[in-house]
Amino acid sequence: MRTSIFFLATLCTISVQAQHIGHDNRVIFQYKADHATKVEINIGSHGIREEMSQDGNGLWTYQTDSLPSDLYTYEYLVDGIPAPDTKGLHKMRDIDNWFNYLIIPNGRGDYYAANAETAHGTIEQVWYTTQDGRERRMSVYLPASYGKSGRSYPVLYLLHGSGGDELAWIELGRATQIMDNLIARGEAEEMIVVMPNGNMWQDASPTYYDKKVKLSHRDVRLSGSFEMQFPDIVQYIETNYHTIPDKQHRAIAGLSMGGYHSMHISHHYPNLFDYVGLFSPAYCTTKYYKDQQLFPQGEHMPVIYQQVEVELKEQFGQGLALYWIAIGKDDFLYEENMLYRDLLEREGYVHEFHLTEGAHTWRNWREYLLMFVPRLFQ
Amino acid sequence: MRTSIFFLATLCTISVQAQHIGHDNRVIFQYKADHATKVEINIGSHGIREEMSQDGNGLWTYQTDSLPSDLYTYEYLVDGIPAPDTKGLHKMRDIDNWFNYLIIPNGRGDYYAANAETAHGTIEQVWYTTQDGRERRMSVYLPASYGKSGRSYPVLYLLHGSGGDELAWIELGRATQIMDNLIARGEAEEMIVVMPNGNMWQDASPTYYDKKVKLSHRDVRLSGSFEMQFPDIVQYIETNYHTIPDKQHRAIAGLSMGGYHSMHISHHYPNLFDYVGLFSPAYCTTKYYKDQQLFPQGEHMPVIYQQVEVELKEQFGQGLALYWIAIGKDDFLYEENMLYRDLLEREGYVHEFHLTEGAHTWRNWREYLLMFVPRLFQ
């Protein structure tokens, strides 16, 4: 490890790898690799992958077109091998891949950027105890005003997808920045955001520790245990934070697997949540299970999944403030979502369905959070 | 960005870069680079840099000797260019460099690893307001028992070095894991640990946002403003957390620049801290300034630095529970520390002075924290 040399350290190190955002929002990427035969820039968030050109001295360069305001993740590919911008201060992790990122300002990207003039919420990594005695970690966002008055707040429970963990919405999802910016602009109510770990074979992010809980893969993904035990999380939050502990002031939303969690938790506990957000959700309803042969003859399907249609009737019968779904046209879960929409329409269950561009990506999930949060607790 | 594919995602991706820890604590590093002429493994934390050997198919391998239990940071060097283990889940940032790391267990390394069977403290990233109205971020560690009873806790203020920020002790310093493990083993008292940002030209880590406060480099490093304003931080903590707000239950420690902060804060406010820890400290005492010509004739030296010797007399005159210094034999601040030790001995100021192996590195600072914390609040 390089030492932090007192008085000599600088944050402006000149690097062989670099990116520069011009005033016209064209980005120049540069990478120094003497012996490479091909260097590419891979802006994975936006499906841009281009060969860079060499100057004869091993310096590879690529300049993009003018890019719309957004958050872009990127890496270099040196003869096909991922080579991050090692000097890039800004990195985010997706499962076990680390990417550099940059934000193009003056538009949507501003919601994803921390702003020095904006009041900042607090992020906490706390541990709660489950009914069966496990200690599990979650992230909690508290709005800037929290604790400064006697106020209590509504709560959004925000769930990650398969492969994510309790850090995913903070790191990849920019939830802290999105909440701070929406609240500062007056576009959303102040609220607490709770981001638990939805993988029952983990107690915390694998960056925190590697030890896995000994449960079979099948058991944990499809056992319904995370959904069934969700009241442990709600109880911890309502015991330890200043919340408004009623249905009108609770929302649940999640992406992909977190969407299926949100859907099943909200129908199984129909008195808990008045707002439900499903971002590119999987459903794993009975029909889907049968199609996928996830429960071959003789195997026992968890009760929470067997009762979906009965419980949805109860959930919608009691009334909801908002049942909100978004899916990209190119998402591999598109068809499953159309089937679920058919079910909701057939039964007359009031909902909003947003068909967007794009696929099963964080680019979409950040946008969905931006769309969904302003609708809560109005 | 790669999408998190529902049901297909796995945390055990096979990678072209890899490391494997054998039972004998020999580590095998592998890196795939077809076109490289030389690939090295650079275990920077321990000064190990070795050429890897190629198998003829572009797979480079190096096996270490048996490594003592510790935390090791590493990167690959492909024809001299840093190439991280992109698939390595475990990374830490030092200024703007990201390194992979691994922990060799069954010894000191266990203190740096999160342990599933150990009660976990909470980490908070909170914002406090300075007297001149700035919002600045700090990290706060709360022990696992915090908030579960009516108890109040002593507080350690733990300061980073030049180039660090409010995340340095958490990311590089493993402070969370060290505190959890020391407390769980009964080797340290339960305490709150407060890690503020000591760079007055930043309000928060540059990974949070890049915007710098407009102050000149000289002004902020040597103005004494961080030290003078330190009571803002103490006041925020004692207002917002369950603390024991007296000198006997406050400690301050820091590395390098954080050592000079700790030294100056503790003599300038001699009633605040009963425990002082200086890890590889800079001092910037009058003599040092003159030697370095940091304050040429006519320039005004901040009052807090002019009064060092008078204020030290007051500080030691009032009595201290512990004044603890550690410095490595190979540290570039070694001589300055010997001068300071001479001053303390000449004046008869009771202190502990630990001369260790090694230099100005996080490897030493993690060890110093392990040595210092068990001495607090006994």
Side-chain angles (χ1 to χ4, degrees):
Chain A
M1 189 175 311
R2 289 158 209 178
T3 54
S4 303
I5 303 300
F6 188 75
F7 284 149
L8 298 180
T10 166
L11 291 166
C12 308
T13 317
I14 291 163
S15 168
V16 289
Q17 301 115 32
Q19 47 83 7
H20 172 75
I21 304 173
H23 287 297
D24 53 357
N25 290 346
R26 299 179 70 182
V27 183
I28 298 172
F29 291 94
Q30 291 195 306
Y31 194 91
K32 187 82 163 62
D34 292 332
H35 299 281
T37 56
K38 186 167 80 168
V39 179
E40 296 159 278
I41 178 71
N42 182 27
I43 307 176
S45 58
H46 290 66
I48 300 168
R49 178 172 171 168
E50 299 287 349
E51 284 195 34
M52 302 173 76
S53 53
Q54 222 229 91
D55 69 351
N57 291 312
L59 183 66
W60 301 75
T61 301
Y62 180 79
Q63 181 169 21
T64 68
D65 293 335
S66 182
L67 296 176
S69 175
D70 203 350
L71 184 151
Y72 295 80
T73 59
Y74 68 96
E75 62 186 346
Y76 299 95
L77 296 168
V78 180
D79 292 322
I81 294 178
D85 187 345
T86 37
K87 285 282 181 187
L89 204 53
H90 299 295
K91 284 193 199 290
M92 44 173 61
R93 178 180 60 94
D94 193 3
I95 310 182
D96 56 353
N97 296 290
W98 292 77
F99 297 94
N100 297 103
Y101 70 88
L102 57 86
I103 293 174
I104 303 283
N106 303 319
R108 184 188 302 134
D110 294 338
Y111 285 98
Y112 305 149
N115 188 331
E117 281 72 48
T118 297
H120 305 285
T122 293
I123 284 290
E124 302 187 359
Q125 257 99 47
V126 301
W127 297 77
Y128 71 99
T129 308
T130 63
Q131 278 178 19
D132 50 3
R134 287 171 58 187
E135 297 284 329
R136 308 194 70 236
R137 195 167 80 151
M138 59 183 154
S139 301
V140 179
Y141 166 88
L142 302 174
S145 70
Y146 186 90
K148 292 181 179 142
S149 68
R151 245 191 93 182
S152 293
Y153 295 82
V155 183
L156 164 62
Y157 294 84
L158 186 59
L159 310 183
H160 62 79
S162 164
D165 54 52
E166 76 277 13
L167 302 175
W169 269 110
I170 294 175
E171 292 180 353
L172 287 146
R174 307 296 285 178
T176 311
Q177 292 78 13
I178 289 171
M179 294 306 305
D180 281 350
N181 286 313
L182 284 173
I183 291 169
R185 293 172 185 221
E187 295 173 14
E189 295 294 312
E190 292 180 89
M191 66 188 79
I192 296 168
V193 183
V194 176
M195 294 157 276
N197 184 311
N199 303 314
M200 291 305 277
W201 68 95
Q202 291 175 337
D203 288 333
S205 163
T207 60
Y208 194 76
Y209 54 60
D210 293 326
K211 203 163 285 184
K212 290 184 179 131
V213 178
K214 281 195 182 117
L215 295 168
S216 82
H217 185 83
R218 238 291 307 282
D219 269 353
V220 295
R221 276 267 163 69
L222 299 174
S223 69
S225 59
F226 180 72
E227 298 93 312
M228 298 291 284
Q229 294 178 26
F230 203 80
D232 291 350
I233 294 172
V234 176
Q235 192 186 340
Y236 178 89
I237 294 297
E238 296 185 353
T239 304
N240 289 281
Y241 294 91
H242 301 298
T243 65
I244 310 172
D246 62 29
K247 180 177 177 177
Q248 286 69 42
H249 296 89
R250 290 192 207 103
I252 189 165
L255 70 93
S256 192
M257 179 183 81
Y260 114 102
H261 282 152
S262 299
M263 178 260 201
H264 287 299
I265 293 164
S266 67
H267 71 66
H268 195 63
Y269 298 105
N271 299 316
L272 276 184
F273 302 101
D274 217 6
Y275 299 85
V276 178
L278 312 179
F279 305 170
S280 315
Y283 294 102
C284 303
T285 52
T286 310
K287 180 183 178 334
Y288 181 74
Y289 282 171
K290 283 180 187 153
D291 290 350
Q292 301 285 322
Q293 300 189 306
L294 289 173
F295 290 94
Q297 213 168 18
E299 280 202 46
H300 187 67
M301 182 187 290
V303 171
I304 190 170
Y305 303 137
Q306 287 180 31
Q307 298 172 334
V308 171
E309 298 193 19
V310 173
E311 293 187 354
L312 280 175
K313 189 181 287 292
E314 190 185 345
Q315 180 183 20
F316 282 93
Q318 295 195 8
L320 277 160
L322 181 64
Y323 199 86
W324 191 99
I325 301 169
I327 182 85
K329 288 173 188 165
D330 302 325
D331 197 304
F332 73 103
L333 292 170
Y334 171 79
E335 279 189 41
E336 197 190 337
N337 272 269
M338 298 312 279
L339 287 175
Y340 190 65
R341 186 175 74 160
D342 289 348
L343 181 154
L344 295 176
E345 291 191 344
R346 194 168 60 240
E347 300 292 337
Y349 298 153
V350 178
H351 65 282
E352 273 186 31
F353 192 92
H354 298 266
L355 191 59
T356 74
E357 298 300 317
H360 206 69
T361 66
W362 275 100
R363 179 183 172 188
N364 269 8
W365 301 325
R366 285 185 285 266
E367 279 195 52
Y368 296 165
L369 190 65
L370 267 184
M371 295 163 71
F372 180 67
V373 166
R375 304 291 306 281
L376 301 179
F377 314 123
Q378 297 292 339
Chain B
M1 189 174 312
R2 289 158 211 178
T3 54
S4 304
I5 303 300
F6 189 75
F7 285 148
L8 297 180
T10 165
L11 291 167
C12 310
T13 316
I14 292 163
S15 166
V16 289
Q17 300 116 32
Q19 47 83 6
H20 172 73
I21 304 173
H23 288 295
D24 53 358
N25 290 346
R26 298 179 68 183
V27 183
I28 299 172
F29 291 93
Q30 292 195 306
Y31 194 91
K32 187 81 164 64
D34 292 331
H35 299 282
T37 57
K38 185 167 80 169
V39 179
E40 295 158 278
I41 179 70
N42 182 28
I43 307 176
S45 56
H46 291 65
I48 300 168
R49 179 171 171 169
E50 299 287 349
E51 284 196 32
M52 303 173 76
S53 53
Q54 221 228 91
D55 69 351
N57 291 312
L59 183 65
W60 301 76
T61 301
Y62 180 78
Q63 182 170 19
T64 68
D65 293 334
S66 182
L67 296 176
S69 176
D70 203 350
L71 184 150
Y72 295 81
T73 58
Y74 68 96
E75 63 185 345
Y76 299 94
L77 297 168
V78 180
D79 291 323
I81 295 178
D85 187 346
T86 37
K87 284 283 183 187
L89 203 53
H90 299 295
K91 283 194 200 289
M92 42 174 61
R93 177 180 61 93
D94 192 4
I95 310 181
D96 56 353
N97 296 289
W98 292 78
F99 297 94
N100 297 103
Y101 70 88
L102 58 86
I103 293 173
I104 303 282
N106 302 318
R108 183 188 302 133
D110 295 339
Y111 285 97
Y112 306 149
N115 187 332
E117 281 73 46
T118 297
H120 304 285
T122 293
I123 285 291
E124 303 187 359
Q125 257 100 47
V126 302
W127 297 77
Y128 71 98
T129 308
T130 63
Q131 280 179 20
D132 50 3
R134 286 171 60 187
E135 297 284 330
R136 307 192 70 234
R137 194 166 81 150
M138 59 183 152
S139 301
V140 180
Y141 166 88
L142 302 174
S145 70
Y146 186 91
K148 291 180 179 142
S149 68
R151 246 190 94 181
S152 292
Y153 296 83
V155 183
L156 164 62
Y157 294 84
L158 186 60
L159 310 183
H160 62 80
S162 163
D165 54 53
E166 76 278 13
L167 301 176
W169 269 110
I170 294 175
E171 291 180 353
L172 286 147
R174 307 297 285 177
T176 312
Q177 292 78 13
I178 289 171
M179 294 307 303
D180 281 350
N181 286 313
L182 284 173
I183 291 168
R185 293 173 185 221
E187 295 172 14
E189 295 295 311
E190 294 181 87
M191 66 188 78
I192 296 170
V193 183
V194 177
M195 293 156 277
N197 185 311
N199 303 315
M200 292 306 278
W201 67 96
Q202 292 175 336
D203 287 334
S205 163
T207 59
Y208 194 77
Y209 56 59
D210 293 326
K211 202 164 287 183
K212 290 184 180 131
V213 179
K214 281 194 181 119
L215 296 168
S216 81
H217 185 83
R218 239 292 305 282
D219 270 352
V220 294
R221 276 265 163 71
L222 300 174
S223 68
S225 59
F226 180 71
E227 297 93 312
M228 297 291 285
Q229 294 177 26
F230 203 80
D232 291 350
I233 294 172
V234 177
Q235 191 187 341
Y236 178 90
I237 293 298
E238 296 186 354
T239 304
N240 289 281
Y241 294 91
H242 302 298
T243 65
I244 310 173
D246 61 30
K247 182 178 177 179
Q248 286 70 42
H249 296 90
R250 290 191 207 102
I252 190 165
L255 70 93
S256 190
M257 179 183 81
Y260 115 101
H261 283 152
S262 299
M263 177 260 202
H264 288 297
I265 292 164
S266 66
H267 72 64
H268 195 65
Y269 298 105
N271 299 315
L272 275 185
F273 301 101
D274 217 5
Y275 300 84
V276 178
L278 312 180
F279 305 170
S280 315
Y283 294 101
C284 303
T285 52
T286 310
K287 180 185 179 331
Y288 181 75
Y289 283 169
K290 283 180 184 152
D291 290 351
Q292 301 286 323
Q293 300 189 306
L294 290 172
F295 289 94
Q297 213 168 19
E299 280 202 46
H300 187 67
M301 183 187 290
V303 171
I304 189 170
Y305 304 137
Q306 287 179 30
Q307 299 171 334
V308 171
E309 298 192 19
V310 172
E311 292 187 355
L312 280 175
K313 190 181 289 291
E314 189 185 347
Q315 180 184 20
F316 281 94
Q318 295 195 8
L320 277 161
L322 181 66
Y323 200 86
W324 190 100
I325 301 169
I327 182 85
K329 288 173 187 165
D330 302 325
D331 198 305
F332 74 102
L333 293 170
Y334 171 79
E335 279 188 40
E336 196 189 338
N337 273 268
M338 298 311 279
L339 287 174
Y340 190 64
R341 185 175 73 161
D342 290 347
L343 181 153
L344 296 177
E345 291 190 344
R346 194 168 59 240
E347 301 291 337
Y349 297 153
V350 178
H351 65 283
E352 273 185 32
F353 192 90
H354 298 266
L355 190 59
T356 73
E357 299 299 317
H360 207 68
T361 65
W362 275 101
R363 178 183 172 189
N364 270 8
W365 301 325
R366 284 184 287 265
E367 279 194 52
Y368 296 165
L369 190 65
L370 267 185
M371 294 163 71
F372 180 67
V373 166
R375 304 291 306 281
L376 302 178
F377 315 122
Q378 297 292 338

